[in-house]
Amino acid sequence: MVAKFNGLMVVVAEIVLMTLPVAAQESPRPTGPDQALVGKLVQLGRDEVAMAQMAETRAERAPVKSFAATIARDHRAADQRLLAYADRKHMNLAEVTNPGSALPHGALAMAPIADSGRGEFDYNFASRMVADHQAAIDASAAAERLARDPELRAMIDRDMKMMTEHLVAAQELLAGIPVPTPRVVPAPGEPPGVSRTRTGADEPPPAALAR
């Protein structure tokens, strides 16, 4: 979870760097920092939708499935609001929907949760939602400070309130799920029943013992 948090902070760094080339301009352009902010926020939201959709299918507990449905619904709505805003502001929608990033997205972002074993998924998903939403709130706060358009700042503020509600719900959900027993992973090159410390190399052959 620390890696995911640090990764989302890369989003903030990317946003800051994207604002530098246009910081000295007197008036914002549609392809300037606000477009970069919208693109990053769309990308983060879509990752949450994909994660929630997986949970709707794989979760074992009804409260987890219900929470996942709420996440997917709310983030889809936020996505549509951001895209409608981008269209009104004549932003490049192709760049908004595919902004590029140093972070893993899609299947790569979901891989650690998708690999959860039986009895692990609910806990891992809830734990991921806590970490993701806390980091997304921090990234959104940075985006709100950097946004030039008051309308965009208001949209980000609205979505931060939504994510704060999600964070609280995820924390409550996680508190009610038992921590799964860690899986035992065999050491490399150690088949079941074979010891790496007792190889027999230091034992005399049977013929020597018979003398």
Side-chain angles (χ1 to χ4, degrees), residues 11-202:
V11 172
V12 178
E14 289 175 346
I15 289 170
V16 172
L17 290 175
M18 286 180 179
T19 67
L20 294 180
V22 295
Q25 296 181 4
E26 295 181 357
S27 60
R29 296 181 294 120
T31 55
D34 282 1
Q35 176 175 298
L37 294 173
V38 172
K40 296 303 178 184
L41 294 172
V42 165
Q43 195 171 56
L44 289 174
R46 289 185 174 184
D47 282 348
E48 296 307 297
V49 170
M51 194 81 67
Q53 287 176 324
M54 178 170 60
E56 287 185 273
T57 301
R58 291 192 53 186
E60 298 178 6
R61 295 169 175 82
V64 178
K65 287 181 178 289
S66 176
F67 174 71
T70 298
I71 293 293
R73 182 193 66 234
D74 290 352
H75 280 282
R76 282 195 202 99
D79 180 81
Q80 291 303 310
R81 288 193 297 270
L82 286 168
L83 292 181
Y85 168 84
D87 188 47
R88 288 198 309 275
K89 299 298 180 176
H90 307 290
M91 294 179 176
N92 187 323
L93 293 181
E95 293 181 4
V96 166
T97 56
N98 188 26
S101 175
L103 295 178
H105 292 281
L108 286 176
M110 295 193 298
I113 307 302
D115 189 48
S116 299
R118 184 175 179 82
E120 298 176 335
F121 183 88
D122 288 6
Y123 180 88
N124 291 346
F125 169 71
S127 180
R128 177 67 173 267
M129 287 293 99
V130 170
D132 279 9
H133 278 81
Q134 182 59 70
I137 289 168
D138 293 340
S140 296
E144 185 178 14
R145 291 192 297 270
L146 293 169
R148 294 181 173 184
D149 184 2
E151 182 182 354
L152 178 56
R153 290 198 295 269
M155 292 180 64
I156 295 173
D157 184 69
R158 172 181 175 176
D159 288 345
M160 286 176 60
K161 292 175 181 176
M162 172 195 74
M163 288 186 286
T164 300
E165 293 176 357
H166 290 171
L167 173 61
V168 172
Q171 291 170 331
E172 293 175 351
L173 188 68
L174 180 62
I177 302 175
V179 179
T181 303
R183 280 184 283 177
V184 178
V185 180
E190 184 177 330
V194 176
S195 172
R196 297 174 64 189
T197 58
R198 297 185 61 188
T199 62
D202 56 347

